[in-house]
Amino acid sequence: MSQIRLGIIGLGSMADVHIKGFEKIEGMRLTAVCDTAMDRVQRITEQQRDVRGYTDPRKFLASDIIDAVLIVTPHKFHPQYAIAAFERGLHVLTEKPVAVTAADALAMNQAHAQHPELIYSVMFQMRTDPLYRKVKQMIESGRVGKLLRVNWVVTTWMRTQAYYNSGSWRATWEGEGGGVLLNQCPHNLDLLCWLVGMPTQVVAQIGVGKYHKIEVEDEVNALLTFEGGATGSFITNTAESPGVNRLEIVGDLGTIIAQPGGTPVLTYYESAGSVSEFIATTPQAWGKIASNLHAITPAATDWGHHCILQNFINAIRHREALIAPGEDGLMSLELSNAMLLSGFNHSQPVNLPTDHAAFDKLLNRLIAQANQKKK
Ligand SMILES: NC(=O)c1ccc[n+]([C@@H]2O[C@H](COP(=O)([O-])OP(=O)(O)OC[C@H]3O[C@@H](n4cnc5c(N)ncnc54)[C@H](O)[C@@H]3O)[C@@H](O)[C@H]2O)c1
């Protein structure tokens, strides 16, 4: 198949990262760019004369010079552009999160279902990290057994006030629809669901503007319940340094501890047998089941945004299986919407899938309150 003609909408800092990565991508060329800010468009078209620029998203999507769209605008615009693109017969790769609300993510999935011939993917590049690929492979090959507990402390997302001040949409209910859960943690929430499935219930405590002058959450402490009775926790904030990033997945047959970083650490404790069986059957009052420690080195393979983009292009050209289907974008939003619903309702338990109308109502109230304060 000939080269895929790609258009990008939203030409901010993340678009720059994607454009830099294009040299690694085979089978595509950039043909059009769009941003509502003219200077952003000119910055690209002056460097790349064969790329056509648009400030009107409708003209961009109707241009007939693109086969696929990469959506890199603030999150709340992702749904409208994805749905309009599907209607124009365009393949879609959207940045994370696919939307702000689970209801919008569902609408995107439904719009895609009307056009199953089109490819729809989401930029969850952490799924290509060899560390998490290895964890997934170990779970799928049965090395953990029945899930008992999953805990993720991820507090390495420190952000400064200057970062939050760098864009008027950032860290506002109206512009972004949330804080650390919507901007930094979609990756972790996605990985959590990808690895062990979506929880069935969430209880959360949130800190709103606790460490920064922002109107959204910058701290979350959540307890999770999974089908089958497994429990978990998810702890994050944007105020610690250096922070901790430690994922523990504990099962009846083994425990995985994954710690990313310059030198990723992947530890596997392999139980000599089923722990639950041992507990039930051993005659020893102080019996311990043996476990072998394995320090695993994940393969040093290339990973990152460009891998998701290459996979998207390959899916269009050769029907390669998607690493991150767009439909999966719903899971992390169900989880983040549930944490906010619980956090704003005195830590009441919230069942998943969430009550979409209840979350929309909460978000509209938070937007109205924030706007009222600004008056
Ligand atoms: N995958 C990742 O690791 C990763 C990392 C950073 C950001 N992101 C995501 O990328 C998206 C953009 O983030 P960013 O940091 O580049 O933001 P940014 O503010 O730097 O850029 C956003 C751009 O979108 C343009 N824009 C705003 N409203 C628009 C509209 N209605 N139509 C067209 N263009 C519009 C703005 O003019 C700006 O140029 C966000 O959804 C964010 O979550 C993903």
Side-chain angles (χ1 to χ4, degrees):
M1 193 181 178
S2 57
Q3 287 207 319
I4 302 304
R5 300 168 305 166
L6 185 80
I8 308 181
I9 183 160
L11 303 172
S13 51
M14 198 57 222
D16 284 347
V17 173
H18 291 311
I19 291 170
K20 274 196 197 106
F22 282 173
E23 62 190 41
K24 293 186 178 171
I25 310 293
E26 281 172 19
M28 63 139 270
R29 66 196 162 92
L30 183 66
T31 49
V33 291
C34 178
D35 197 293
T36 42
M38 173 63 99
D39 58 319
R40 300 267 168 135
V41 175
Q42 281 171 340
R43 204 166 53 89
I44 308 290
T45 51
E46 279 166 10
Q47 289 162 8
Q48 304 194 42
R49 295 282 173 191
D50 50 347
V51 173
R52 210 178 296 166
Y54 296 86
T55 51
D56 182 341
R58 278 167 308 175
K59 289 187 180 154
F60 163 75
L61 291 171
S63 64
D64 281 338
I65 57 165
I66 51 178
D67 306 306
V69 188
L70 173 56
I71 303 172
V72 201
T73 61
H75 339 308
K76 71 173 179 181
F77 301 111
H78 299 174
Q80 71 195 58
Y81 292 142
I83 291 169
F86 291 140
E87 284 165 1
R88 303 267 343 162
L90 302 170
H91 305 282
V92 171
L93 172 56
T94 182
E95 260 301 347
K96 54 51 49 178
V98 294
V100 169
T101 68
D104 279 350
L106 193 60
M108 294 161 87
N109 293 354
Q110 286 162 349
H112 181 227
Q114 301 294 311
H115 301 276
E117 73 287 1
L118 298 172
I119 302 297
Y120 174 34
S121 180
V122 49
M123 188 55 78
F124 281 139
Q125 78 277 1
M126 281 170 66
R127 287 191 184 194
T128 67
D129 183 331
L131 176 69
Y132 298 114
R133 287 187 115 143
K134 184 70 189 166
V135 173
K136 186 161 176 67
Q137 188 212 325
M138 289 171 72
I139 293 171
E140 285 176 352
S141 63
R143 296 179 76 180
V144 172
K146 184 178 184 295
L147 183 70
L148 298 179
R149 171 172 75 77
V150 53
N151 295 78
W152 202 337
V153 177
V154 53
T155 56
T156 43
W157 290 121
M158 192 200 84
R159 290 293 182 270
T160 63
Q161 189 64 42
Y163 161 82
Y164 287 120
N165 295 347
S166 70
S168 58
W169 64 280
R170 288 193 194 282
T172 61
W173 292 114
E174 183 153 36
E176 185 152 21
V180 63
L181 289 173
L182 263 287
N183 196 309
Q184 287 77 35
C185 284
H187 291 298
N188 311 98
L189 297 177
D190 172 62
L191 287 172
L192 191 89
C193 297
W194 186 60
L195 293 170
V196 298
M198 206 164 70
T200 52
Q201 195 179 71
V202 168
V203 170
Q205 210 174 49
I206 56 175
V208 176
K210 184 170 170 182
Y211 302 106
H212 307 84
K213 287 190 188 116
I214 55 174
E215 61 192 51
V216 293
E217 84 289 352
D218 51 9
E219 180 178 76
V220 178
N221 289 284
L223 296 177
L224 316 171
T225 306
F226 293 83
E227 208 179 304
T231 58
S233 64
F234 185 81
I235 294 172
T236 191
N237 66 54
T238 57
E240 281 180 36
S241 178
V244 172
N245 192 342
R246 179 180 165 101
L247 170 65
E248 299 175 355
I249 300 173
V250 182
D252 192 40
L253 298 177
T255 293
I256 293 174
I257 299 173
Q259 294 171 277
T263 313
V265 179
L266 181 53
T267 312
Y268 174 53
Y269 294 91
E270 182 182 21
S271 173
S274 157
V275 178
S276 57
E277 215 174 286
F278 180 80
I279 289 172
T281 58
T282 181
Q284 306 160 34
W286 300 102
K288 290 256 181 259
I289 185 165
S291 80
N292 281 326
L293 188 156
H294 304 268
I296 297 172
T297 308
T301 47
D302 192 24
W303 71 279
H305 304 97
H306 61 284
C307 297
I308 293 288
L309 178 56
Q310 185 66 69
N311 171 240
F312 172 67
I313 298 297
N314 294 348
I316 300 170
R317 298 179 82 213
H318 322 297
R319 298 279 136 182
E320 184 173 286
L322 284 175
I323 296 167
E327 277 72 11
D328 287 5
L330 177 60
M331 294 190 294
S332 49
L333 282 169
E334 284 286 358
L335 210 39
S336 59
N337 286 186
M339 288 177 188
L340 289 177
L341 269 171
S342 176
F344 277 102
N345 194 18
H346 312 289
S347 303
Q348 286 292 312
V350 171
N351 292 331
L352 284 93
T354 51
D355 177 343
H356 293 174
F359 183 75
D360 287 352
K361 196 170 156 200
L362 169 68
L363 184 58
N364 288 335
R365 176 166 64 81
L366 292 167
I367 291 170
Q369 282 171 353
N371 288 343
Q372 191 62 33
K373 266 195 199 155
K374 283 175 200 151
K375 276 187 186 162

